[in-house]
Amino acid sequence: MSAAEPRTELDPRYSSPGAEPDHWADGRELLSGAELYWLTTVRPDGRPHVTPLIGVWWQGALHFSTGAEERKARNLAANAEVVLTTGTNTWAEGFDVVVEGRAERVTDAALLTVLARAWEAKYGEFWHFDVADGVFVGAQGNRAEVFAVSPRKVFGFGKGDRFTQTRWHFA
């Protein structure tokens, strides 16, 4: 099993009778195509902090950016463990994904350049970034640190005619 191919299991307690586990390709597709993600970090005093953001799934990790002085960046400096979620905001249809992992700072200029192009391709020219000094630089000169979250565990929640709770465990 490679990092790209997780171990898959269905939790029958929260799945319809006879349900099969969802395929990782479906979870990966949702992570790749989602426009909005919710990031949960932990404040220094232990309280959670949740915020919506945009991001790019690239080479097995979900990437997001934030200003160095924003609450999420300050939280990550103290505790890099995060949860990222995306999906549908409905009960009886759709698919939701919850990613558990560690946010690692990306500073490599070549990778940041690739990611900046991916951001613009996904979200349009409003989200154009240049790269300098290990960060994204926006049109107004604002700087954003970029983080990658490689999944340790991902939960997939299928809803509708067939409810599923699938777990994907990564090495």
Side-chain angles (χ1 to χ4, degrees):
M1 165 177 55
S2 71
E5 293 303 319
R7 179 172 49 88
T8 302
E9 66 182 7
L10 180 78
D11 190 331
R13 298 174 300 169
Y14 308 109
S15 301
S16 297
E20 295 291 325
D22 293 293
H23 298 283
W24 171 237
D26 296 330
R28 189 176 55 235
E29 182 178 330
L30 179 60
L31 288 168
S32 179
E35 290 184 12
L36 187 68
Y37 307 87
W38 290 87
L39 173 70
T40 303
T41 58
V42 180
R43 297 172 193 264
D45 67 4
R47 292 180 299 133
H49 175 262
V50 180
T51 188
L53 47 70
I54 64 171
V56 172
W57 178 262
W58 182 260
Q59 295 186 338
L62 189 58
H63 296 78
F64 66 90
S65 65
T66 182
E69 298 304 316
E70 291 184 40
R71 166 51 52 203
K72 55 188 165 291
R74 295 192 327 256
N75 291 348
L76 292 171
N79 183 346
E81 295 297 321
V82 300
V83 173
L84 283 151
T85 62
T86 194
T88 55
N89 208 17
T90 59
W91 165 247
E93 64 183 2
F95 193 61
D96 300 325
V97 175
V98 177
V99 176
E100 296 180 355
R102 185 173 184 81
E104 301 288 343
R105 180 92 189 277
V106 177
T107 58
D108 178 76
L111 178 54
L112 286 171
T113 300
V114 169
L115 291 170
R117 289 183 188 136
W119 243 265
E120 190 169 354
K122 184 174 180 180
Y123 294 103
E125 61 187 48
F126 179 80
W127 292 100
H128 172 81
F129 293 107
D130 292 317
V131 174
D133 303 321
V135 298
F136 279 174
V137 181
Q140 306 297 321
N142 52 325
R143 299 166 71 83
E145 297 175 343
V146 177
F147 292 86
V149 178
S150 297
R152 186 172 46 248
K153 185 186 299 182
V154 178
F155 295 90
F157 300 91
K159 303 175 286 186
D161 292 334
R162 180 183 64 99
F163 285 84
T164 59
Q165 183 178 328
T166 303
R167 290 187 188 120
W168 296 289
H169 300 271
F170 293 81

